[in-house]
Amino acid sequence: MVMSNKKKIVLMSGLVLLLAVTAVFNFVLAGANPSASTGGAVTASNYFTSYRTERTATRNEEILQLDSVIALYEAGTAEYEEAVDMKMEIVTAMEQELVIETMIKSLGFSDCVVSVSTASDNVNVFINSSELNYDTALQIYNMLKNETGIVAGNIIIMPVYSES
């Protein structure tokens, strides 16, 4: 049984590493020739894609490190429990980001990215829009507050303009 758990952990760690490598290759290949079509300028759509790719790569690396800690320690030890808790916080943040991004897009925005911090109670929202009026910002804020429970002072909503 112990060998089986170690094999599972090694297999999962390998899959997470493979996912991280795939995300890095995707990022590198997607940005291989950005100046050909934009004259060297970074477009907002590239911003959203780059942000998501970097966020995914960072989270995958964090999960891989936590999996390594989990594999080193026995269940029930303080280190094991802390690593499992941290991993669950990351997974929860990822799920919240996906839900919030979908909810914001349902308001009619073509794209957005959301970053829910696991280390602090902060949420950053970047929306594909030339401007953001008070009513829309309030609507987004209420969604964030209901979904995450985070207070107004810890929520940042920023428009990022794209000419698409």
Side-chain angles (χ1 to χ4, degrees):
M1 177 104 178
V2 174
M3 189 60 139
S4 178
N5 283 341
K6 286 184 180 181
K7 285 182 182 179
K8 289 178 186 176
I9 291 170
V10 169
L11 180 62
M12 288 299 292
S13 297
L15 291 174
V16 170
L17 179 62
L18 182 61
L19 184 61
V21 169
T22 304
V24 169
F25 277 125
N26 186 28
F27 178 71
V28 169
L29 294 176
N33 196 6
S35 61
S37 62
T38 64
V42 177
T43 64
S45 62
N46 284 342
Y47 170 80
F48 292 112
T49 302
S50 297
Y51 190 98
R52 279 190 197 95
T53 302
E54 289 176 28
R55 179 180 67 188
T56 301
T58 301
R59 294 271 172 84
N60 287 338
E61 180 63 31
E62 291 171 349
I63 290 172
L64 182 62
Q65 290 173 358
L66 291 170
D67 284 341
S68 297
V69 171
I70 291 168
L72 287 175
Y73 295 97
E74 302 240 354
T77 63
E79 294 85 358
Y80 179 91
E81 297 301 325
E82 184 179 351
V84 169
D85 289 344
M86 290 174 71
K87 186 175 178 181
M88 290 308 299
E89 287 176 10
I90 292 171
V91 169
T92 300
M94 292 168 67
E95 289 173 354
Q96 284 181 329
E97 289 166 349
L98 183 61
V99 168
I100 295 168
E101 286 174 3
T102 302
M103 292 170 72
I104 291 172
K105 287 178 185 177
S106 74
L107 294 175
F109 293 100
S110 62
D111 207 352
C112 69
V113 289
V114 175
S115 175
V116 175
S117 174
T118 58
S120 62
D121 289 334
N122 292 328
V123 176
N124 297 311
V125 179
F126 302 95
I127 300 170
N128 187 8
S129 176
S130 59
E131 62 183 48
L132 193 59
N133 65 35
Y134 178 78
D135 291 336
T136 306
L138 184 60
Q139 205 173 9
I140 293 169
Y141 163 74
N142 285 331
M143 272 194 262
L144 291 168
K145 185 178 175 197
N146 292 336
E147 193 63 32
T148 65
I150 293 177
V151 297
N154 295 352
I155 296 173
I156 297 174
I157 303 170
M158 296 286 300
V160 177
Y161 182 62
S162 171
E163 293 181 24
S164 43

